[in-house]
Amino acid sequence: MSRGHQHRTALTYGAVGATQASDLMTYPPEGFVPTESRARIGHGDQRFETAVMQALTWQIQERSGMGVHVEDTPEDDEVRYNPVTFDEQGVPIAPASIGTPRVEKTSPDGTPLITAGTTATLTMHAFGQTVQAPVRVVAIIDERDRKGFAYGTLDGHPLSGEESFVVERTPDGSVWLQVRQFSQPASRKWRFVAPLLRRQQRVMAEKYLAALRGD
């Protein structure tokens, strides 16, 4: 596993953490198209904990047919992104910054959990070809009833933007998976096939939601 080179690669968009803004669907970052999908995936505390572990070990992506290759994980003394934070009205209250060391965590079976700052290459088959999509994890959501992560795009990804995957537990015990993103084609080459990109995004959103259903 390489270290350093991928970690220094800049994200290809500026609104780091904006998938967590409450008004994303109404006021996305300028020039970006937002989408949001949500589905019930079970019930009860055990289902919630299991789904969280699945989400934080790349199983949403892998069960959706993607290959996941982790390229780089920051050392304990390296820094990670702290995304912009928002109040309940969606108003930014703290800018994005860099500075908090990563904390190593593993699932009960010892599988490393996704941590902020991790860089990975996602591989998928679309448009009759194999497409590689480099991303970096920019946020870990770790609340009592909401847990998950968000990643942002790196150079070489067909899109520019961010995507988040959050497992939620509602007061009645229902467990939901929420997928949010904002994006735009990353280059002129991809702008020519923008309708195909949007269609592929819709297909993948359905696969993401189905990935954790029925376990």
Side-chain angles (χ1 to χ4, degrees), residues 91-136:
V91 177
I93 58 177
S97 63
I98 301 176
T100 305
R102 152 181 106 95
V103 177
E104 185 70 42
K105 293 182 179 180
T106 59
S107 67
D109 67 1
T111 303
L113 299 184
I114 294 171
T115 55
T118 296
T119 298
T121 298
L122 309 179
T123 302
M124 65 196 82
H125 300 287
F127 322 118
Q129 59 182 308
T130 299
V131 177
Q132 293 191 325
V135 298
R136 177 174 298 128

Side-chain angles (χ1 to χ4, degrees), residues 62-117:
E62 291 177 341
R63 293 182 180 199
S64 299
M66 289 184 177
V68 178
H69 179 69
V70 175
E71 305 282 358
D72 180 70
T73 54
E75 299 286 2
D76 287 340
D77 59 353
E78 289 188 282
V79 297
R80 66 171 172 83
Y81 286 93
N82 296 310
V84 62
T85 55
F86 302 84
D87 64 17
E88 293 182 356
Q89 285 71 47
V91 177
I93 58 177
S97 63
I98 301 176
T100 305
R102 152 181 106 95
V103 177
E104 185 70 42
K105 293 182 179 180
T106 59
S107 67
D109 67 1
T111 303
L113 299 184
I114 294 171
T115 55

